Amino acid sequence: LGGERFYITGGEPLLRVDVEDIIQIGNDVDYKIELVTNGYLLTKARLRRFKELGLDGIAISLDGSNAEVYNRIRGRDRKTFEKVLDKIRETKKLGFYTKINTTVFSCNLEDTPNITELALNLEVDEQGIYYFTPIGRGDGNRELTIEPLEWLGFIRTRLKRYQGKSM
């Protein structure tokens, strides 16, 4: 059908016992393969193994520029935030195409430029910024939604300065 790439996502795809098999299958058909994860279950050994199997890229969720904001969304502690930052650095060090995925909620909207600054400092290859849509599990968190016009205004005023900057 002309496919060229696929993304291994979840929930959390690192909970799958067959994630290495999926990477291998993708590599066997010469697809570009990206793993989308929260980063918590990544280890150096797993990253090295994924590199051997031909994984091309890793996208790690990062919804705050500091532990306080990150943990407000993820319900974790400072240690988890620091561990995720370490995993982002490790993916870069091992030569993976490294992406940060940021979902924007009302509680981290003002921190979004700081997350972008952090992404630049970490020298990631890309940052994806996503609008939170309260469907599925998110339906119970409608209060975290940003009004679309507010979101658009924020992008046009506060994030425009990053347009064209290299990650």
Side-chain angles (χ1 to χ4, degrees):
L1 297 174
E4 297 175 357
R5 69 180 60 212
F6 70 86
Y7 302 90
I8 305 169
T9 66
E12 176 50 54
L14 294 176
L15 292 173
R16 295 186 62 103
V17 296
D18 61 349
V19 71
E20 289 185 13
D21 296 332
I22 295 168
I23 293 168
Q24 186 63 58
I25 290 166
N27 194 36
D28 289 347
V29 295
D30 201 29
Y31 275 28
K32 295 285 184 194
I33 312 154
E34 183 175 293
L35 178 73
V36 182
T37 176
N38 64 25
Y40 187 74
L41 297 174
L42 285 173
T43 63
K44 288 182 182 183
R46 250 185 156 171
L47 285 168
R48 285 191 298 272
R49 178 67 179 140
F50 292 162
K51 195 67 173 171
E52 291 170 4
L53 290 170
L55 183 68
D56 297 293
I58 299 178
I60 298 177
S61 300
L62 188 66
D63 303 320
S65 68
N66 59 57
E68 180 184 342
V69 176
Y70 176 85
N71 296 333
R72 193 179 309 144
I73 293 163
R74 296 283 168 174
R76 298 293 189 168
D77 56 15
R78 174 170 290 285
K79 186 177 177 181
T80 300
F81 174 75
E82 295 297 332
K83 182 176 181 176
V84 169
L85 290 182
D86 287 342
K87 298 311 169 192
I88 292 168
R89 290 181 190 101
E90 190 67 25
T91 60
K92 283 296 297 176
K93 182 178 170 184
L94 290 172
F96 288 102
Y97 184 90
T98 304
K99 179 179 177 183
I100 287 175
N101 284 340
T102 302
T103 300
V104 180
F105 304 87
S106 58
C107 60
N108 70 343
L109 176 66
E110 290 298 322
D111 192 43
T112 305
N114 300 327
I115 302 167
T116 299
E117 289 290 338
L118 178 58
L120 287 165
N121 290 335
L122 291 167
E123 299 179 337
V124 298
D125 299 294
E126 182 181 347
Q127 180 190 21
I129 300 176
Y130 303 95
Y131 179 83
F132 171 64
T133 305
I135 59 171
R137 269 189 339 200
D139 190 46
N141 295 305
R142 289 185 173 276
E143 73 283 358
L144 298 176
T145 305
I146 303 161
E147 290 298 319
L149 289 177
E150 179 184 359
W151 168 248
L152 183 59
F154 189 86
I155 291 170
R156 287 182 172 162
T157 59
R158 301 281 303 282
L159 296 180
K160 186 167 178 72
R161 67 182 167 173
Y162 299 103
Q163 186 176 0
K165 285 201 174 186
S166 291
M167 291 251 164

